[in-house]
């Protein structure tokens, strides 16, 4: 059983940094697909970054070169290091997991979701 819990959100200034954490209390293995998504008010949930099949890393164009996704397999923790934050990064952020995906950024392909944590940049 996979259970995801995010933490690390909060407020930051324009140009600041935050690190997000997602802890899995279940049994995610190295082949699992993991992703960070975000949803701003009135907008659809969008993929921010993903790790597919344990090692292939993907980023949305809007966060490329600013955000870094990584994982600690031994501790079952997924990280999202967010640098040079912008007001448009303000959203509820979610981590998600799936056994397999065709499109890392497609939210409907993920079966397991955390409860979300708010990030506000001003």
């Amino acid at each position: 059983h996979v259970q995801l819990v995010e933490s690390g959100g909060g407020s930051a200034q324009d140009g600041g940094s935050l690190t997000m954490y997602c802890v899995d209390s279940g049994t995610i293995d190295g082949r699992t697909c993991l992703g960070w998504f975000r949803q701003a008010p009135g907008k659809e949930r969008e993929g921010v970054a993903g790790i597919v099949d344990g090692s292939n890393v993907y980023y949305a164009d809007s966060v490329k070169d600013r955000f870094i996704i990584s994982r600690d397999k031994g501790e079952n923790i997924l990280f999202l290091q967010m640098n040079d934050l912008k007001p448009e990064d303000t959203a509820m952020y979610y981590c998600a997991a799936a056994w397999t995906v065709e499109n890392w950024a497609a939210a409907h392909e993920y079966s397991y979701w955390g409860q979300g944590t708010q990030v506000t940049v001003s």
Side-chain angles (χ1 to χ4, degrees):
H1 177 68
V2 176
Q3 184 171 0
L4 306 174
V5 179
E6 303 100 338
S7 62
S11 299
Q13 292 187 336
D14 192 351
S17 298
L18 286 172
T19 300
M20 307 274 287
Y21 307 86
C22 175
V23 177
D24 163 44
S25 61
T27 55
I28 287 179
D29 65 22
R31 295 167 296 175
T32 302
C33 304
L34 300 169
W36 284 100
F37 288 77
R38 66 186 181 188
Q39 188 166 19
K43 295 188 176 181
E44 292 188 356
R45 191 167 296 189
E46 63 172 352
V48 174
I51 299 178
V52 176
D53 295 332
S55 60
N56 298 308
V57 177
Y58 302 91
Y59 295 96
D61 288 343
S62 59
V63 305
K64 201 172 293 183
D65 298 327
R66 298 190 297 122
F67 290 11
I68 301 171
I69 186 172
S70 61
R71 67 184 299 183
D72 180 329
K73 294 181 183 180
E75 298 295 328
N76 279 348
I77 302 175
L78 181 69
F79 302 92
L80 184 68
Q81 174 66 43
M82 303 186 293
N83 302 312
D84 190 22
L85 283 162
K86 305 176 186 301
E88 52 263 41
D89 294 318
T90 295
M92 185 72 79
Y93 283 71
Y94 301 87
C95 67
W99 301 117
T100 182
V101 297
E102 292 187 358
N103 178 359
W104 73 268
H108 69 269
E109 296 197 32
Y110 291 78
S111 301
Y112 305 98
W113 290 86
Q115 81 287 355
T117 185
Q118 179 68 36
V119 171
T120 302
V121 184
S122 59

